[in-house]
Amino acid sequence: MAEPAQEPIDVMLADNNPLVLSAMSEIFERDPRFSLVATSATAEGFLGAVMRVPVKVCVIAWNLPVLGAAKLIEVLREQESAPRFVVYGDEAGDAPRLAMQAGAAGFASRSGEVEHLLETCADVAAGKMVFPFIDVRKMQRDPIHTLSRKERIILEALAKGLSNRDLSKDLQISTNTVKFHLSNIYEKLSVKNRAQAIAFFYSSGAASG
């Protein structure tokens, strides 16, 4: 008995190189496993499209103007129906590790075979994480990257000298919720109090990031 046909995987593509974007579009349109929903040459255009039409998988260039892939993933992963991201970039640098830290589910090298990009997207849609070899020790050295977007905002505000009451007012959350977030931040950064957290923030270079 024939297996029931699977629903095609909804995909959105974003790349600032029009030739790459055009070539990728053709590849995905030819593969029956995928349904290409939209393409964009900028992070802002992409963000607008994906907020209107949720998709399963997004393939994005690492250096996507103007926001960049890391910021884009950070913004979208807070959404309820957040897509799974595959970053399409240069494997030689730090991009695979940074993509993983940002919350991407996969990384495909621009210098690799096109088939590898398709397989990576199919695997990511099935719930897998697909990355080239990454030195995990480097990731463990930088706990700032383990903070959620809200925790990062709170840490930055803390470093500016805001009190719990100020934070509560600015973020429109209760002081108890502020304390809960602070407790998580201290635990993730392995610090004991506000002063140590602020010192960690400035010493990590995050203040200039």
Side-chain angles (χ1 to χ4, degrees):
M1 202 168 84
E3 283 188 19
Q6 279 192 314
E7 284 284 308
I9 300 157
D10 289 334
V11 178
M12 211 174 275
L13 312 174
D15 200 294
N16 51 309
N17 184 326
L19 293 174
V20 172
L21 196 56
S22 170
M24 275 204 299
S25 300
E26 277 183 38
I27 291 154
F28 277 95
E29 280 173 341
R30 280 204 306 264
D31 193 312
R33 290 176 295 177
F34 301 98
S35 168
L36 182 60
V37 174
T39 64
S40 177
T42 66
E44 287 75 9
F46 177 84
L47 192 55
V50 84
M51 294 294 263
R52 282 195 308 274
V53 188
V55 294
K56 183 93 175 181
V57 176
C58 295
V59 180
I60 55 175
W62 180 242
N63 295 314
L64 193 63
V66 174
L67 283 174
K71 193 73 186 166
L72 188 61
I73 295 167
E74 192 181 301
V75 168
L76 280 167
R77 72 179 182 190
E78 302 287 321
Q79 302 299 318
E80 247 180 76
S81 55
R84 291 175 68 79
F85 285 93
V86 172
V87 170
Y88 193 46
D90 181 6
E91 196 182 319
D94 244 4
R97 177 174 65 84
L98 294 171
M100 183 186 271
Q101 285 178 179
F107 186 95
S109 171
R110 280 181 183 270
S111 58
E113 293 291 322
V114 167
E115 190 53 41
H116 177 64
L117 174 62
L118 294 170
E119 291 305 324
T120 298
C121 289
D123 284 345
V124 161
K128 296 178 186 171
M129 298 277 284
V130 186
F131 285 89
F133 172 75
I134 290 171
D135 188 347
V136 180
R137 289 169 303 176
K138 283 187 180 177
M139 290 175 72
Q140 289 166 342
R141 279 186 215 134
D142 195 354
I144 284 281
H145 290 289
T146 65
L147 300 181
S148 72
R149 187 163 165 248
K150 182 154 270 179
E151 287 165 353
R152 180 74 182 251
I153 289 166
I154 287 172
L155 181 59
E156 285 172 9
L158 210 62
K160 290 173 188 160
L162 269 68
S163 68
N164 284 9
R165 192 175 286 176
D166 295 332
L167 285 167
S168 166
K169 207 158 80 176
D170 280 11
L171 298 170
Q172 296 184 317
I173 55 179
S174 71
T175 49
N176 278 343
T177 305
V178 170
K179 286 175 188 168
F180 170 75
H181 283 305
L182 289 177
S183 167
N184 283 343
I185 292 167
Y186 298 163
E187 191 178 327
K188 287 180 180 180
L189 301 184
S190 300
V191 298
K192 291 187 174 68
N193 55 40
R194 178 181 295 252
Q196 287 181 0
I198 293 168
F200 190 103
F201 177 74
Y202 283 111
S203 67
S204 72
S208 56

